[in-house]
Amino acid sequence: MSSSTSAPTASSQPVWLVTGASSGLGLAVAIEAAKTATVVALGRDQHGLEVAAKAGCRTVQLDLRASADHISTVLADVVKTAGRVDVLVNAAGYILEGAVEETSEQELEDIFTTNVFAPIRLARAVLPHMRQRGSGVIFNVAGIGGFSGSPNAGAYCSSKAALATLTEALQRETGPLGVRVCLVQLGHFRTSFLKAGHRLHTSHHIADYDPVLEPLRKAFNGLNGQQPGDPVKAAKALVDIVGWGIDKIPMLLALGSDVPAAELSAHEAKRKAMLTHEKITNSTDLEA
C-alpha cells in the first residue's frame, strides 16, 4: 500500500485529482483533463500510471484499501505539492461476482473500502482546502449497478448504492459552502471493468446457487467488450462540464444512454411493490 509521487511543482493551472487512473474511465479522464489542467493521477497499477504519466499527468501509486490515516497523509502531500485541488474525480471501483452468502468478510470489506470508504476519505481530505477557498468540484462515480440489487453482484451493487446516498448527503452539506458535488451515474462503458484481473470472483463457491447465478455469469461474459459506452467521450463530457462553472455543474449526471431507462425501471418496480400492500402500509399508524 505504498505511494510514490512524481516531482513536486506548484501549478497555476486548475488541479485535478483522479482516482482509478490506471485504467478505464479514470485513465480516460486523467488523459483528457491533462490537456488543460494539472492532473494528479492515482492508481494501484504502475503500468496504467505510466500511460497517464506519458499523457502529462503527475502520478501517485496508491492502494485505496490503505488506512484512512495513510490516505490522509498522501493527500496532504499532494495538496502541498500541487498547491491545491480544484477537482476530485472518484472514478476507482471494481466488481465482485458471487452470491451474498458466498462473499467473505474480507471480500466485503475490501469492496466497500475501495468503492465507498476511499471516495469519502478522499473527499474529507480535500474538503478543508475547498471550503477555505469557497470553491471546488467533486465527482463521485456510482453507476447503473446501484439502482437495484442484482444476483451475482450484491456486494458491488450495494457499495454503489451506498456511495450514491452518501454523495446526495454530501452535496447538500457542501453546496452552500461553494463546493459542488456531482453524483455520476455511469452506464456500461467499454473498459476493462469486466475483463479478467478486474472482474473478481468470491473465493467461496456454493453449488446450490449455480442455477440462479450461471445465467448472470454468462450475461457478464457476453457484455464484456460489447458495452455501448465510449469512455473517451465520457471523460470529455466531465471535463467540458467543469468548464461550465461551478453553479452550472449538475448534482446528478447520467453518463450512458442505458442509464435513464435502467433507473426508471428500478424505481417503477419498487413503486409497484410498495403499492401492492398499501392497505397494510396505511394500517400501522397510531389512532388519532
Side-chain angles (χ1 to χ4, degrees), residues 1 65 94 96 103-113 203:
M1 297 184 181
R65 296 172 299 176
Y94 69 91
L96 174 70
T103 308
S104 71
E105 287 295 310
Q106 189 61 58
E107 288 168 336
L108 190 63
E109 182 177 328
D110 283 348
I111 194 168
F112 266 76
T113 297
S203 57

Side-chain angles (χ1 to χ4, degrees), residues 75-95:
L75 264 290
D77 184 60
V78 167
V79 172
K80 182 179 179 181
T81 299
R84 66 188 185 280
V85 173
D86 298 291
V87 182
L88 166 63
V89 182
N90 279 311
Y94 69 91
I95 189 169

